[in-house]
Amino acid sequence: MNCKTEIKYSKKDKLSKEKLNLIFELNQNNIPALGSLNNLKHVQDIYNNSLFLIEVIVEDDFAGFAFVMDNKSEYQSLNYRYFKNKFKNFLYIDRVAFIDKFQRRGYGTITYGEIHKLSKKLNSLLCCEVNTFPLNKESMDFHSKFGFSVIEEVPFGEKKVAMLCK
């Protein structure tokens, strides 16, 4: 598997218009598994609030991304705020998505492996959420296999999400 992960730290630079567009389009193509984004500024705001962005590049092609926040972020997502109100030291995985042709090929495992290494180094809890209504079975199975446990199921508007920690 020819895969490299590139970690961009959010405070160092702005995302290029091309990268903003790639992330925006991939996010919007993965609704309802991911929440909708308003526009490119919304993507930049999430990036600015993140500890880092992982971009998965496969043979020089953009394959996917994941945003990761820590407990110091000012991110206003209700799901993130849930964990911030509950825990003092954590990393929050947000908006993980891969282009169709790169799904179910191990890149999610590689990405989560990178994030998990960092959470261990920082001695931080690793948190995320997965839709249970509408059910995102593939994601629930993936997170279960990766050792995440459901701590609570919470309704958010028309959705219901399982709050997960590892």
Short mmCIF file of all heavy atoms in Angstrom, two decimals, residues 52-116:
data_model
loop_
_atom_site.label_atom_id
_atom_site.label_comp_id
_atom_site.label_asym_id
_atom_site.label_seq_id
_atom_site.Cartn_x
_atom_site.Cartn_y
_atom_site.Cartn_z
N PHE A 52 -4.92 19.76 14.25
CA PHE A 52 -4.32 19.47 12.96
C PHE A 52 -5.32 18.82 12.03
O PHE A 52 -6.39 18.40 12.42
CB PHE A 52 -3.06 18.59 13.09
CG PHE A 52 -3.30 17.25 13.73
CD1 PHE A 52 -3.70 16.15 13.00
CD2 PHE A 52 -3.08 17.09 15.10
CE1 PHE A 52 -3.89 14.91 13.60
CE2 PHE A 52 -3.27 15.86 15.70
CZ PHE A 52 -3.68 14.77 14.95
N LEU A 53 -4.94 18.82 10.77
CA LEU A 53 -5.68 18.17 9.70
C LEU A 53 -4.79 17.06 9.17
O LEU A 53 -3.61 17.30 8.88
CB LEU A 53 -5.96 19.18 8.58
CG LEU A 53 -6.37 18.62 7.22
CD1 LEU A 53 -7.74 17.96 7.29
CD2 LEU A 53 -6.37 19.74 6.18
N ILE A 54 -5.33 15.86 9.08
CA ILE A 54 -4.60 14.80 8.40
C ILE A 54 -5.16 14.71 6.99
O ILE A 54 -6.36 14.59 6.79
CB ILE A 54 -4.78 13.44 9.10
CG1 ILE A 54 -4.05 13.44 10.44
CG2 ILE A 54 -4.25 12.30 8.21
CD1 ILE A 54 -4.11 12.13 11.19
N GLU A 55 -4.25 14.82 6.03
CA GLU A 55 -4.61 14.59 4.63
C GLU A 55 -4.01 13.26 4.24
O GLU A 55 -2.81 13.04 4.44
CB GLU A 55 -4.01 15.67 3.75
CG GLU A 55 -4.53 17.05 3.99
CD GLU A 55 -3.83 18.05 3.10
OE1 GLU A 55 -3.78 17.82 1.88
OE2 GLU A 55 -3.34 19.04 3.64
N VAL A 56 -4.81 12.38 3.69
CA VAL A 56 -4.30 11.10 3.22
C VAL A 56 -4.06 11.23 1.72
O VAL A 56 -4.96 11.53 0.96
CB VAL A 56 -5.26 9.95 3.53
CG1 VAL A 56 -4.71 8.63 3.02
CG2 VAL A 56 -5.53 9.88 5.03
N ILE A 57 -2.80 11.03 1.35
CA ILE A 57 -2.38 11.14 -0.05
C ILE A 57 -1.94 9.75 -0.50
O ILE A 57 -1.11 9.12 0.14
CB ILE A 57 -1.20 12.13 -0.19
CG1 ILE A 57 -1.49 13.46 0.51
CG2 ILE A 57 -0.81 12.32 -1.65
CD1 ILE A 57 -2.65 14.24 -0.02
N VAL A 58 -2.53 9.26 -1.57
CA VAL A 58 -2.20 7.95 -2.12
C VAL A 58 -1.70 8.15 -3.53
O VAL A 58 -2.43 8.65 -4.39
CB VAL A 58 -3.41 7.00 -2.10
CG1 VAL A 58 -3.06 5.66 -2.70
CG2 VAL A 58 -3.96 6.84 -0.68
N GLU A 59 -0.44 7.77 -3.77
CA GLU A 59 0.17 7.93 -5.09
C GLU A 59 -0.10 9.33 -5.64
O GLU A 59 -0.57 9.49 -6.76
CB GLU A 59 -0.32 6.84 -6.03
CG GLU A 59 0.09 5.45 -5.56
CD GLU A 59 -0.50 4.33 -6.40
OE1 GLU A 59 -1.18 4.61 -7.41
OE2 GLU A 59 -0.26 3.18 -6.04
N ASP A 60 0.17 10.33 -4.82
CA ASP A 60 0.02 11.74 -5.15
C ASP A 60 -1.42 12.21 -5.34
O ASP A 60 -1.65 13.34 -5.78
CB ASP A 60 0.87 12.12 -6.38
CG ASP A 60 2.35 11.96 -6.12
OD1 ASP A 60 2.78 12.23 -4.98
OD2 ASP A 60 3.07 11.56 -7.05
N ASP A 61 -2.41 11.36 -5.05
CA ASP A 61 -3.82 11.76 -5.13
C ASP A 61 -4.38 11.99 -3.74
O ASP A 61 -4.12 11.21 -2.82
CB ASP A 61 -4.66 10.66 -5.80
CG ASP A 61 -4.42 10.55 -7.29
OD1 ASP A 61 -4.01 11.56 -7.91
OD2 ASP A 61 -4.63 9.45 -7.83
N PHE A 62 -5.17 13.05 -3.60
CA PHE A 62 -5.89 13.31 -2.36
C PHE A 62 -6.92 12.20 -2.18
O PHE A 62 -7.79 12.01 -3.02
CB PHE A 62 -6.57 14.69 -2.44
CG PHE A 62 -7.41 15.02 -1.24
CD1 PHE A 62 -6.81 15.47 -0.08
CD2 PHE A 62 -8.78 14.90 -1.30
CE1 PHE A 62 -7.59 15.80 1.03
CE2 PHE A 62 -9.57 15.22 -0.21
CZ PHE A 62 -8.97 15.67 0.96
N ALA A 63 -6.81 11.44 -1.09
CA ALA A 63 -7.71 10.31 -0.85
C ALA A 63 -8.74 10.59 0.23
O ALA A 63 -9.83 10.04 0.20
CB ALA A 63 -6.90 9.07 -0.47
N GLY A 64 -8.37 11.43 1.20
CA GLY A 64 -9.29 11.71 2.29
C GLY A 64 -8.67 12.62 3.32
O GLY A 64 -7.53 13.07 3.17
N PHE A 65 -9.43 12.87 4.37
CA PHE A 65 -8.99 13.80 5.40
C PHE A 65 -9.63 13.48 6.73
O PHE A 65 -10.64 12.77 6.80
CB PHE A 65 -9.33 15.24 5.01
CG PHE A 65 -10.80 15.55 5.10
CD1 PHE A 65 -11.34 16.09 6.26
CD2 PHE A 65 -11.65 15.28 4.03
CE1 PHE A 65 -12.70 16.37 6.35
CE2 PHE A 65 -13.01 15.55 4.11
CZ PHE A 65 -13.54 16.10 5.28
N ALA A 66 -9.06 14.03 7.78
CA ALA A 66 -9.65 14.00 9.12
C ALA A 66 -9.19 15.25 9.86
O ALA A 66 -8.02 15.61 9.81
CB ALA A 66 -9.20 12.77 9.88
N PHE A 67 -10.12 15.92 10.50
CA PHE A 67 -9.79 17.02 11.40
C PHE A 67 -9.71 16.48 12.81
O PHE A 67 -10.52 15.63 13.19
CB PHE A 67 -10.88 18.11 11.36
CG PHE A 67 -10.88 18.94 10.12
CD1 PHE A 67 -11.89 18.82 9.19
CD2 PHE A 67 -9.89 19.88 9.90
CE1 PHE A 67 -11.91 19.61 8.04
CE2 PHE A 67 -9.90 20.68 8.76
CZ PHE A 67 -10.91 20.54 7.84
N VAL A 68 -8.76 16.98 13.59
CA VAL A 68 -8.63 16.57 14.99
C VAL A 68 -8.50 17.82 15.85
O VAL A 68 -7.67 18.69 15.57
CB VAL A 68 -7.40 15.65 15.20
CG1 VAL A 68 -7.27 15.26 16.67
CG2 VAL A 68 -7.52 14.40 14.32
N MET A 69 -9.35 17.91 16.88
CA MET A 69 -9.31 19.01 17.83
C MET A 69 -8.81 18.48 19.17
O MET A 69 -8.98 17.30 19.46
CB MET A 69 -10.72 19.59 18.07
CG MET A 69 -11.24 20.45 16.96
SD MET A 69 -11.64 19.50 15.51
CE MET A 69 -12.42 20.70 14.49
N ASP A 70 -8.25 19.36 19.97
CA ASP A 70 -7.94 18.98 21.34
C ASP A 70 -8.89 19.70 22.28
O ASP A 70 -9.79 20.42 21.84
CB ASP A 70 -6.46 19.24 21.69
CG ASP A 70 -6.08 20.70 21.70
OD1 ASP A 70 -6.97 21.59 21.54
OD2 ASP A 70 -4.89 20.99 21.88
N ASN A 71 -8.71 19.53 23.57
CA ASN A 71 -9.61 20.10 24.56
C ASN A 71 -9.51 21.62 24.67
O ASN A 71 -10.34 22.25 25.30
CB ASN A 71 -9.37 19.47 25.93
CG ASN A 71 -7.92 19.53 26.33
OD1 ASN A 71 -7.09 18.85 25.74
ND2 ASN A 71 -7.59 20.34 27.33
N LYS A 72 -8.54 22.23 24.00
CA LYS A 72 -8.36 23.68 24.07
C LYS A 72 -9.05 24.42 22.92
O LYS A 72 -9.04 25.64 22.87
CB LYS A 72 -6.87 24.02 24.07
CG LYS A 72 -6.15 23.47 25.27
CD LYS A 72 -4.66 23.69 25.14
CE LYS A 72 -3.94 22.88 26.19
NZ LYS A 72 -2.92 22.03 25.64
N SER A 73 -9.63 23.71 21.99
CA SER A 73 -10.24 24.32 20.81
C SER A 73 -11.47 25.16 21.18
O SER A 73 -12.14 24.90 22.18
CB SER A 73 -10.65 23.23 19.82
OG SER A 73 -11.32 23.80 18.72
N GLU A 74 -11.76 26.13 20.34
CA GLU A 74 -12.98 26.93 20.47
C GLU A 74 -14.06 26.45 19.49
O GLU A 74 -15.02 27.16 19.23
CB GLU A 74 -12.67 28.41 20.23
CG GLU A 74 -11.74 29.00 21.27
CD GLU A 74 -12.31 28.94 22.69
OE1 GLU A 74 -13.53 29.20 22.86
OE2 GLU A 74 -11.56 28.57 23.61
N TYR A 75 -13.88 25.25 18.95
CA TYR A 75 -14.82 24.66 18.00
C TYR A 75 -16.22 24.66 18.61
O TYR A 75 -16.39 24.28 19.77
CB TYR A 75 -14.35 23.25 17.67
CG TYR A 75 -15.03 22.57 16.51
CD1 TYR A 75 -15.36 23.24 15.35
CD2 TYR A 75 -15.31 21.20 16.58
CE1 TYR A 75 -15.96 22.58 14.29
CE2 TYR A 75 -15.89 20.53 15.52
CZ TYR A 75 -16.22 21.23 14.38
OH TYR A 75 -16.81 20.57 13.32
N GLN A 76 -17.22 25.05 17.85
CA GLN A 76 -18.56 25.21 18.40
C GLN A 76 -19.52 24.07 18.07
O GLN A 76 -20.70 24.14 18.39
CB GLN A 76 -19.16 26.55 17.92
CG GLN A 76 -18.43 27.75 18.48
CD GLN A 76 -18.41 27.78 20.00
OE1 GLN A 76 -19.44 27.65 20.65
NE2 GLN A 76 -17.22 27.91 20.59
N SER A 77 -19.03 23.01 17.44
CA SER A 77 -19.88 21.86 17.15
C SER A 77 -20.50 21.34 18.44
O SER A 77 -19.83 21.21 19.47
CB SER A 77 -19.03 20.76 16.50
OG SER A 77 -19.58 19.49 16.73
N LEU A 78 -21.79 21.04 18.40
CA LEU A 78 -22.47 20.49 19.58
C LEU A 78 -21.83 19.18 20.03
O LEU A 78 -21.71 18.92 21.23
CB LEU A 78 -23.96 20.29 19.30
CG LEU A 78 -24.78 21.55 19.12
CD1 LEU A 78 -26.22 21.20 18.73
CD2 LEU A 78 -24.76 22.41 20.38
N ASN A 79 -21.42 18.37 19.07
CA ASN A 79 -20.79 17.09 19.42
C ASN A 79 -19.46 17.32 20.12
O ASN A 79 -19.17 16.70 21.14
CB ASN A 79 -20.59 16.23 18.17
CG ASN A 79 -21.90 15.80 17.56
OD1 ASN A 79 -22.89 15.61 18.26
ND2 ASN A 79 -21.92 15.67 16.26
N TYR A 80 -18.64 18.24 19.61
CA TYR A 80 -17.37 18.57 20.25
C TYR A 80 -17.62 19.13 21.64
O TYR A 80 -16.95 18.76 22.61
CB TYR A 80 -16.57 19.57 19.40
CG TYR A 80 -15.38 20.12 20.15
CD1 TYR A 80 -14.22 19.36 20.28
CD2 TYR A 80 -15.44 21.36 20.78
CE1 TYR A 80 -13.13 19.84 20.99
CE2 TYR A 80 -14.36 21.84 21.50
CZ TYR A 80 -13.21 21.08 21.61
OH TYR A 80 -12.14 21.54 22.32
N ARG A 81 -18.59 20.05 21.77
CA ARG A 81 -18.89 20.68 23.06
C ARG A 81 -19.32 19.64 24.10
O ARG A 81 -19.02 19.78 25.28
CB ARG A 81 -19.98 21.75 22.92
CG ARG A 81 -19.74 22.82 21.89
CD ARG A 81 -18.60 23.75 22.10
NE ARG A 81 -18.64 24.48 23.34
CZ ARG A 81 -17.58 25.11 23.85
NH1 ARG A 81 -16.45 25.11 23.20
NH2 ARG A 81 -17.66 25.75 24.98
N TYR A 82 -19.99 18.59 23.63
CA TYR A 82 -20.38 17.50 24.54
C TYR A 82 -19.13 16.94 25.23
O TYR A 82 -19.10 16.80 26.46
CB TYR A 82 -21.10 16.40 23.75
CG TYR A 82 -21.33 15.13 24.53
CD1 TYR A 82 -22.49 14.96 25.27
CD2 TYR A 82 -20.37 14.12 24.55
CE1 TYR A 82 -22.69 13.79 26.01
CE2 TYR A 82 -20.57 12.96 25.27
CZ TYR A 82 -21.73 12.80 26.01
OH TYR A 82 -21.92 11.65 26.74
N PHE A 83 -18.11 16.62 24.46
CA PHE A 83 -16.88 16.05 25.03
C PHE A 83 -16.13 17.09 25.86
O PHE A 83 -15.58 16.77 26.91
CB PHE A 83 -15.98 15.47 23.93
CG PHE A 83 -16.58 14.28 23.26
CD1 PHE A 83 -16.99 14.33 21.94
CD2 PHE A 83 -16.75 13.08 23.95
CE1 PHE A 83 -17.55 13.22 21.32
CE2 PHE A 83 -17.31 11.96 23.34
CZ PHE A 83 -17.71 12.04 22.02
N LYS A 84 -16.12 18.33 25.41
CA LYS A 84 -15.41 19.38 26.15
C LYS A 84 -16.04 19.60 27.52
O LYS A 84 -15.33 19.87 28.50
CB LYS A 84 -15.41 20.69 25.35
CG LYS A 84 -14.51 21.74 25.96
CD LYS A 84 -14.18 22.85 24.99
CE LYS A 84 -13.24 23.83 25.65
NZ LYS A 84 -12.58 24.69 24.70
N ASN A 85 -17.35 19.46 27.61
CA ASN A 85 -18.04 19.61 28.89
C ASN A 85 -17.83 18.40 29.81
O ASN A 85 -18.03 18.49 31.01
CB ASN A 85 -19.53 19.84 28.69
CG ASN A 85 -19.82 21.20 28.09
OD1 ASN A 85 -19.06 22.15 28.29
ND2 ASN A 85 -20.90 21.31 27.35
N LYS A 86 -17.46 17.28 29.24
CA LYS A 86 -17.36 16.02 29.99
C LYS A 86 -15.92 15.67 30.40
O LYS A 86 -15.72 15.06 31.45
CB LYS A 86 -17.95 14.90 29.14
CG LYS A 86 -18.47 13.73 29.89
CD LYS A 86 -19.33 12.91 28.95
CE LYS A 86 -20.22 11.94 29.63
NZ LYS A 86 -21.17 12.44 30.59
N PHE A 87 -14.94 16.03 29.58
CA PHE A 87 -13.55 15.59 29.81
C PHE A 87 -12.58 16.77 29.80
O PHE A 87 -12.78 17.75 29.09
CB PHE A 87 -13.12 14.58 28.74
CG PHE A 87 -14.01 13.38 28.66
CD1 PHE A 87 -14.79 13.16 27.54
CD2 PHE A 87 -14.09 12.47 29.70
CE1 PHE A 87 -15.62 12.05 27.45
CE2 PHE A 87 -14.91 11.36 29.64
CZ PHE A 87 -15.68 11.15 28.51
N LYS A 88 -11.52 16.64 30.57
CA LYS A 88 -10.49 17.69 30.65
C LYS A 88 -9.41 17.54 29.58
O LYS A 88 -8.87 18.51 29.08
CB LYS A 88 -9.82 17.66 32.03
CG LYS A 88 -10.76 17.93 33.18
CD LYS A 88 -10.60 19.36 33.64
CE LYS A 88 -11.42 19.64 34.87
NZ LYS A 88 -12.68 20.25 34.60
N ASN A 89 -9.06 16.31 29.24
CA ASN A 89 -7.93 16.05 28.34
C ASN A 89 -8.36 15.03 27.29
O ASN A 89 -8.54 13.85 27.61
CB ASN A 89 -6.73 15.54 29.13
CG ASN A 89 -5.50 15.40 28.28
OD1 ASN A 89 -5.34 16.06 27.27
ND2 ASN A 89 -4.61 14.51 28.69
N PHE A 90 -8.54 15.48 26.05
CA PHE A 90 -9.00 14.57 25.00
C PHE A 90 -8.61 15.09 23.63
O PHE A 90 -8.31 16.27 23.46
CB PHE A 90 -10.52 14.38 25.07
CG PHE A 90 -11.30 15.63 24.74
CD1 PHE A 90 -11.75 15.87 23.45
CD2 PHE A 90 -11.58 16.57 25.72
CE1 PHE A 90 -12.45 17.03 23.14
CE2 PHE A 90 -12.28 17.73 25.43
CZ PHE A 90 -12.72 17.96 24.14
N LEU A 91 -8.62 14.19 22.67
CA LEU A 91 -8.55 14.54 21.26
C LEU A 91 -9.89 14.15 20.66
O LEU A 91 -10.44 13.09 20.99
CB LEU A 91 -7.43 13.80 20.54
CG LEU A 91 -6.00 14.18 20.91
CD1 LEU A 91 -5.01 13.36 20.09
CD2 LEU A 91 -5.75 15.67 20.71
N TYR A 92 -10.40 14.99 19.80
CA TYR A 92 -11.71 14.76 19.16
C TYR A 92 -11.49 14.60 17.66
O TYR A 92 -10.94 15.49 17.01
CB TYR A 92 -12.62 15.95 19.45
CG TYR A 92 -13.93 15.95 18.71
CD1 TYR A 92 -14.94 15.06 19.05
CD2 TYR A 92 -14.16 16.86 17.69
CE1 TYR A 92 -16.15 15.08 18.37
CE2 TYR A 92 -15.36 16.88 17.01
CZ TYR A 92 -16.35 15.99 17.36
OH TYR A 92 -17.55 16.00 16.69
N ILE A 93 -11.92 13.49 17.14
CA ILE A 93 -11.82 13.21 15.70
C ILE A 93 -13.09 13.70 15.04
O ILE A 93 -14.19 13.29 15.41
CB ILE A 93 -11.64 11.70 15.43
CG1 ILE A 93 -10.43 11.17 16.20
CG2 ILE A 93 -11.51 11.44 13.94
CD1 ILE A 93 -10.34 9.65 16.21
N ASP A 94 -12.93 14.55 14.04
CA ASP A 94 -14.08 15.16 13.38
C ASP A 94 -13.96 15.02 11.87
O ASP A 94 -12.88 15.15 11.32
CB ASP A 94 -14.13 16.65 13.76
CG ASP A 94 -15.40 17.32 13.28
OD1 ASP A 94 -16.49 16.79 13.56
OD2 ASP A 94 -15.31 18.39 12.65
N ARG A 95 -15.07 14.77 11.23
CA ARG A 95 -15.17 14.81 9.77
C ARG A 95 -14.16 13.95 9.03
O ARG A 95 -13.44 14.43 8.17
CB ARG A 95 -15.06 16.24 9.27
CG ARG A 95 -16.15 17.09 9.80
CD ARG A 95 -16.25 18.41 9.13
NE ARG A 95 -17.26 19.17 9.80
CZ ARG A 95 -18.56 19.12 9.50
NH1 ARG A 95 -18.98 18.43 8.48
NH2 ARG A 95 -19.42 19.80 10.20
N VAL A 96 -14.11 12.69 9.32
CA VAL A 96 -13.25 11.77 8.58
C VAL A 96 -13.99 11.34 7.32
O VAL A 96 -15.13 10.90 7.38
CB VAL A 96 -12.91 10.52 9.44
CG1 VAL A 96 -12.05 9.55 8.66
CG2 VAL A 96 -12.26 10.94 10.74
N ALA A 97 -13.34 11.49 6.17
CA ALA A 97 -13.98 11.09 4.92
C ALA A 97 -12.92 10.68 3.90
O ALA A 97 -11.81 11.22 3.88
CB ALA A 97 -14.81 12.23 4.36
N PHE A 98 -13.29 9.70 3.08
CA PHE A 98 -12.43 9.22 2.00
C PHE A 98 -13.21 9.18 0.70
O PHE A 98 -14.40 8.87 0.68
CB PHE A 98 -11.89 7.82 2.31
CG PHE A 98 -10.88 7.81 3.42
CD1 PHE A 98 -11.29 7.66 4.74
CD2 PHE A 98 -9.54 8.00 3.15
CE1 PHE A 98 -10.37 7.70 5.77
CE2 PHE A 98 -8.62 8.04 4.17
CZ PHE A 98 -9.03 7.89 5.49
N ILE A 99 -12.52 9.48 -0.39
CA ILE A 99 -13.10 9.35 -1.72
C ILE A 99 -13.46 7.88 -1.93
O ILE A 99 -12.74 6.98 -1.47
CB ILE A 99 -12.10 9.86 -2.78
CG1 ILE A 99 -11.92 11.38 -2.59
CG2 ILE A 99 -12.54 9.51 -4.20
CD1 ILE A 99 -10.80 11.98 -3.41
N ASP A 100 -14.56 7.61 -2.60
CA ASP A 100 -15.09 6.24 -2.76
C ASP A 100 -14.03 5.20 -3.11
O ASP A 100 -13.97 4.14 -2.50
CB ASP A 100 -16.20 6.20 -3.82
CG ASP A 100 -17.50 6.81 -3.34
OD1 ASP A 100 -17.65 7.03 -2.11
OD2 ASP A 100 -18.37 7.09 -4.18
N LYS A 101 -13.20 5.49 -4.11
CA LYS A 101 -12.24 4.48 -4.56
C LYS A 101 -11.17 4.15 -3.51
O LYS A 101 -10.46 3.16 -3.64
CB LYS A 101 -11.59 4.88 -5.89
CG LYS A 101 -10.59 6.01 -5.81
CD LYS A 101 -10.02 6.29 -7.19
CE LYS A 101 -8.94 7.36 -7.13
NZ LYS A 101 -8.32 7.58 -8.43
N PHE A 102 -11.07 4.97 -2.45
CA PHE A 102 -10.09 4.71 -1.39
C PHE A 102 -10.74 4.15 -0.12
O PHE A 102 -10.06 3.90 0.86
CB PHE A 102 -9.33 6.00 -1.06
CG PHE A 102 -8.51 6.50 -2.21
CD1 PHE A 102 -8.86 7.67 -2.86
CD2 PHE A 102 -7.39 5.81 -2.64
CE1 PHE A 102 -8.10 8.14 -3.93
CE2 PHE A 102 -6.63 6.27 -3.70
CZ PHE A 102 -6.99 7.44 -4.35
N GLN A 103 -12.06 3.96 -0.15
CA GLN A 103 -12.75 3.40 1.02
C GLN A 103 -12.54 1.89 1.09
O GLN A 103 -12.36 1.22 0.08
CB GLN A 103 -14.23 3.73 0.97
CG GLN A 103 -14.51 5.20 1.15
CD GLN A 103 -15.99 5.55 1.10
OE1 GLN A 103 -16.85 4.69 0.98
NE2 GLN A 103 -16.28 6.83 1.18
N ARG A 104 -12.53 1.39 2.33
CA ARG A 104 -12.38 -0.04 2.64
C ARG A 104 -11.09 -0.63 2.07
O ARG A 104 -11.05 -1.77 1.62
CB ARG A 104 -13.60 -0.82 2.14
CG ARG A 104 -14.85 -0.47 2.91
CD ARG A 104 -16.10 -1.08 2.28
NE ARG A 104 -17.30 -0.49 2.81
CZ ARG A 104 -17.77 0.73 2.52
NH1 ARG A 104 -17.12 1.50 1.70
NH2 ARG A 104 -18.87 1.18 3.06
N ARG A 105 -10.03 0.19 2.11
CA ARG A 105 -8.72 -0.27 1.63
C ARG A 105 -7.64 -0.08 2.69
O ARG A 105 -6.47 -0.14 2.38
CB ARG A 105 -8.36 0.46 0.34
CG ARG A 105 -9.36 0.10 -0.77
CD ARG A 105 -9.03 0.61 -2.13
NE ARG A 105 -7.70 0.30 -2.57
CZ ARG A 105 -7.03 1.03 -3.45
NH1 ARG A 105 -7.57 2.10 -3.98
NH2 ARG A 105 -5.82 0.68 -3.81
N GLY A 106 -8.06 0.19 3.94
CA GLY A 106 -7.11 0.29 5.04
C GLY A 106 -6.64 1.70 5.37
O GLY A 106 -5.90 1.89 6.34
N TYR A 107 -7.05 2.69 4.59
CA TYR A 107 -6.58 4.05 4.84
C TYR A 107 -7.19 4.66 6.10
O TYR A 107 -6.54 5.46 6.77
CB TYR A 107 -6.82 4.94 3.62
CG TYR A 107 -6.12 4.41 2.39
CD1 TYR A 107 -6.82 3.97 1.29
CD2 TYR A 107 -4.72 4.32 2.38
CE1 TYR A 107 -6.16 3.46 0.17
CE2 TYR A 107 -4.06 3.81 1.27
CZ TYR A 107 -4.79 3.39 0.17
OH TYR A 107 -4.14 2.89 -0.92
N GLY A 108 -8.42 4.29 6.42
CA GLY A 108 -9.03 4.74 7.68
C GLY A 108 -8.27 4.20 8.87
O GLY A 108 -8.01 4.91 9.84
N THR A 109 -7.87 2.94 8.79
CA THR A 109 -7.09 2.32 9.86
C THR A 109 -5.74 3.02 10.03
O THR A 109 -5.30 3.29 11.15
CB THR A 109 -6.90 0.82 9.59
OG1 THR A 109 -8.20 0.20 9.51
CG2 THR A 109 -6.09 0.15 10.67
N ILE A 110 -5.10 3.35 8.91
CA ILE A 110 -3.83 4.07 8.96
C ILE A 110 -4.03 5.45 9.61
O ILE A 110 -3.27 5.86 10.49
CB ILE A 110 -3.22 4.22 7.55
CG1 ILE A 110 -2.77 2.87 7.03
CG2 ILE A 110 -2.06 5.22 7.56
CD1 ILE A 110 -2.44 2.86 5.54
N THR A 111 -5.07 6.15 9.19
CA THR A 111 -5.36 7.48 9.72
C THR A 111 -5.62 7.42 11.22
O THR A 111 -5.04 8.18 12.00
CB THR A 111 -6.56 8.08 8.98
OG1 THR A 111 -6.25 8.15 7.58
CG2 THR A 111 -6.90 9.47 9.50
N TYR A 112 -6.48 6.49 11.63
CA TYR A 112 -6.78 6.36 13.06
C TYR A 112 -5.56 5.90 13.84
O TYR A 112 -5.38 6.29 14.99
CB TYR A 112 -7.95 5.40 13.27
CG TYR A 112 -9.29 6.09 13.28
CD1 TYR A 112 -9.79 6.72 12.15
CD2 TYR A 112 -10.05 6.14 14.44
CE1 TYR A 112 -11.00 7.37 12.15
CE2 TYR A 112 -11.28 6.79 14.46
CZ TYR A 112 -11.74 7.40 13.32
OH TYR A 112 -12.95 8.06 13.34
N GLY A 113 -4.70 5.12 13.23
CA GLY A 113 -3.46 4.71 13.88
C GLY A 113 -2.58 5.91 14.20
O GLY A 113 -1.99 6.00 15.29
N GLU A 114 -2.49 6.84 13.25
CA GLU A 114 -1.71 8.07 13.47
C GLU A 114 -2.30 8.89 14.62
O GLU A 114 -1.56 9.39 15.48
CB GLU A 114 -1.69 8.92 12.19
CG GLU A 114 -0.90 8.32 11.05
CD GLU A 114 0.58 8.26 11.35
OE1 GLU A 114 1.13 9.25 11.86
OE2 GLU A 114 1.19 7.22 11.06
N ILE A 115 -3.61 9.03 14.62
CA ILE A 115 -4.27 9.82 15.66
C ILE A 115 -4.12 9.12 17.02
O ILE A 115 -3.86 9.76 18.04
CB ILE A 115 -5.75 10.05 15.31
CG1 ILE A 115 -5.87 10.83 13.99
CG2 ILE A 115 -6.47 10.79 16.45
CD1 ILE A 115 -7.27 10.83 13.40
N HIS A 116 -4.25 7.80 17.02
CA HIS A 116 -4.13 7.05 18.27
C HIS A 116 -2.73 7.18 18.86
O HIS A 116 -2.57 7.33 20.08
CB HIS A 116 -4.50 5.58 18.04
CG HIS A 116 -4.50 4.77 19.29
ND1 HIS A 116 -3.57 3.80 19.54
CD2 HIS A 116 -5.30 4.82 20.37
CE1 HIS A 116 -3.80 3.27 20.72
NE2 HIS A 116 -4.84 3.88 21.24
#
